[in-house]
């Protein structure tokens, strides 16, 4: 039996002990972090970042917007900071785009409404 299969039941038990709000929050933070990387925000000059990939950033921001919209009622005090992070990413995407989307057509805006 492989080491991975021996640890699998232990991992499942650990996940069962984690409250849903924490799992959702962790997923949101992972999506935010990845989107920020894809926008080049971790680099000194995002415009010249070798990691910049706006198509990938669009997908991550849209997934984050869907997650936040679907779970906002469960996030309690975490909802505000997560929403703020999402809006910051949506604005950064708009500023990074050579041809910005029309209001309401940007990443995740079908879930959040237009971000200016």
């Amino acid at each position: 039996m492989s080491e991975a299969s021996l640890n699998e039941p232990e991992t499942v038990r650990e996940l069962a002990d984690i409250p849903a709000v924490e799992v959702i929050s962790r997923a949101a933070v992972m999506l935010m972090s990845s989107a920020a990387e894809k926008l080049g925000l971790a680099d000194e000059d995002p415009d010249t970042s070798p990691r910049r990939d706006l198509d990938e950033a669009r997908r991550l921001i849209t997934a984050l917007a869907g997650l936040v919209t679907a779970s906002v009622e469960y996030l309690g005090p975490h909802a505000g900071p997560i929403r703020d992070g999402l809006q910051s990413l949506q604005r950064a995407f708009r500023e990074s785009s050579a041809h910005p989307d029309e209001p309401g057509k940007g990443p995740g805006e079908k879930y959040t409404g237009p971000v200016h």
Side-chain angles (χ1 to χ4, degrees):
M1 203 176 254
S2 73
E3 186 175 324
S5 64
L6 288 174
N7 290 332
E8 193 172 322
E10 186 175 310
T11 302
V12 171
R13 277 195 298 270
E14 289 174 16
L15 284 174
D17 294 336
I18 300 172
V21 67
E22 189 172 336
V23 174
I24 295 166
S25 296
R26 286 182 187 183
V29 169
M30 180 179 281
L31 289 166
M32 278 190 237
S33 298
S34 185
E37 288 283 339
K38 299 294 184 183
L39 288 169
L41 299 178
D43 293 319
E44 203 169 302
D45 183 4
D47 292 332
T48 61
S49 172
R51 289 183 285 273
R52 182 178 237 175
D53 185 335
L54 295 182
D55 186 49
E56 288 284 302
R58 177 184 294 278
R59 293 172 188 186
L60 291 161
I61 294 167
T62 299
L64 174 61
L67 174 64
V68 171
T69 300
S71 59
V72 72
E73 68 183 289
Y74 309 117
L75 293 174
H78 303 281
I82 291 173
R83 276 184 167 164
D84 292 345
L86 169 58
Q87 288 178 350
S88 293
L89 289 168
Q90 288 173 310
R91 280 191 211 96
F93 184 93
R94 184 170 295 286
E95 292 169 8
S96 298
S97 298
H99 304 287
D101 298 311
E102 294 176 33
K105 301 290 184 182
E109 291 181 1
K110 68 181 176 183
Y111 301 113
T112 64
V115 175
H116 305 279

